[in-house]
Amino acid sequence: MQSVCAVVVSGGNGSRFGNPGGKQLVSVAGRPLMTWSIMAFDRSSHVGRIIVVCPANRRAEMRGLAVDPYEFSTPVAFADAGETRQASTRAGVLATPECFELVAIHDGARPLITTEAIDRAIGVLVSNPSLDGVVCGQPAIDTLKIAARGLISSTPPRSVFWAAQTPQVFRLDAMRRAHARAVEDGFLGTDDSSLVERMGGRVLCVESPRDNLKVTVPEDLRPVTAILLGRMSDAESAQDTGIISTPPIA
């Protein structure tokens, strides 16, 4: 059931991270940051292709350091990043072959994603034809405040809020139509799901591990590295490096 194409977006310029070369190739627990994400998708029996979206002038570097040294069983292709994350995602979606029904979009800066979480999200979408997509995330646990310039105006019930993560998995035709409409309308969304939502698409939140952290600033590397090293230690005898496998989706 290789009906999914994974799009790993690694087109950032590292402005918030403080590294002119970006953070995608920073070594984390012995591997480039983006390699961990590719590994998780490579181990999913549902993923038939992985497309890495990166700047055109860094393609050879990323392939040489983050892809070629590792024995991936899933074909890995590249697409050129755009000026914005949305443009980069669109490039990956347009590069997805027509033979795939679903596209799973993931931030290359989230190296802690597991194959188990990927397969769970795919399974929810496959099993519910009425959905256009699913978003991995976590229900909000903190009290949220609505404030202007720091002055609180209200305290909404946190039960309706989720913290969105990636991957976000969509039906390929819905995602392509959403991007085409966004270009036509000049709309810039805050994530991939927002493009589908504004077209009336049905997108469901699916709970994923709370430790699916995103590396944004250098301080984020410490907990991410500790978690990866812990997974590697726990799984050393199984040579699993922290990726949990699950049975095929019926």
Side-chain angles (χ1 to χ4, degrees), residues 135-196:
V135 169
C136 287
Q138 277 283 323
I141 58 173
D142 295 323
T143 296
L144 302 174
K145 301 289 186 179
I146 296 178
R149 297 181 181 177
L151 184 64
I152 297 171
S153 59
S154 64
T155 304
R158 66 185 177 195
S159 60
V160 299
F161 288 95
W162 280 65
Q165 303 173 352
T166 66
Q168 299 186 359
V169 190
F170 304 94
R171 303 196 187 281
L172 180 59
D173 62 335
M175 193 76 256
R176 284 184 170 173
R177 286 187 285 107
H179 270 289
R181 178 69 64 82
V183 170
E184 181 181 337
D185 297 344
F187 174 78
L188 188 63
T190 54
D191 70 350
D192 305 297
S193 179
S194 63
L195 275 62
V196 177

Side-chain angles (χ1 to χ4, degrees), residues 42 72 77 90 96 108 127 158 188 199 204 215 221 229 243:
D42 178 60
F72 296 124
R90 180 172 179 267
T96 299
S127 64
R158 66 185 177 195
L188 188 63
M199 292 181 59
L204 182 72
V215 174
L221 291 176
L229 290 175
I243 307 300

Side-chain angles (χ1 to χ4, degrees), residues 81-98:
E83 292 296 321
T84 63
R85 185 191 182 281
Q86 186 167 307
S88 295
T89 299
R90 180 172 179 267
V93 170
L94 292 179
T96 299
E98 296 286 350

Side-chain angles (χ1 to χ4, degrees), residues 9-29:
V9 184
S10 299
N13 59 16
S15 58
R16 283 181 291 178
F17 189 77
N19 183 353
K23 58 198 170 189
Q24 300 89 344
L25 296 177
V26 171
S27 181
V28 182

Side-chain angles (χ1 to χ4, degrees), residues 34-111:
M34 61 184 284
T35 300
W36 290 101
S37 295
I38 298 172
M39 286 172 57
F41 284 99
D42 178 60
R43 289 187 168 129
S44 172
S45 61
H46 309 291
V47 175
R49 181 178 294 255
I50 299 169
I51 296 175
V52 175
V53 183
C54 69
N57 63 354
R58 301 197 69 197
R59 180 183 295 196
E61 180 187 16
M62 290 192 175
R63 178 180 287 281
L65 295 176
V67 177
D68 288 349
Y70 304 93
E71 296 181 358
F72 296 124
S73 58
T74 309
V76 179
F78 283 78
D80 294 340
E83 292 296 321
T84 63
R85 185 191 182 281
Q86 186 167 307
S88 295
T89 299
R90 180 172 179 267
V93 170
L94 292 179
T96 299
E98 296 286 350
C99 59
F100 292 101
E101 298 175 8
L102 309 179
V103 58
I105 302 168
H106 185 64
D107 290 327
R110 288 188 187 270

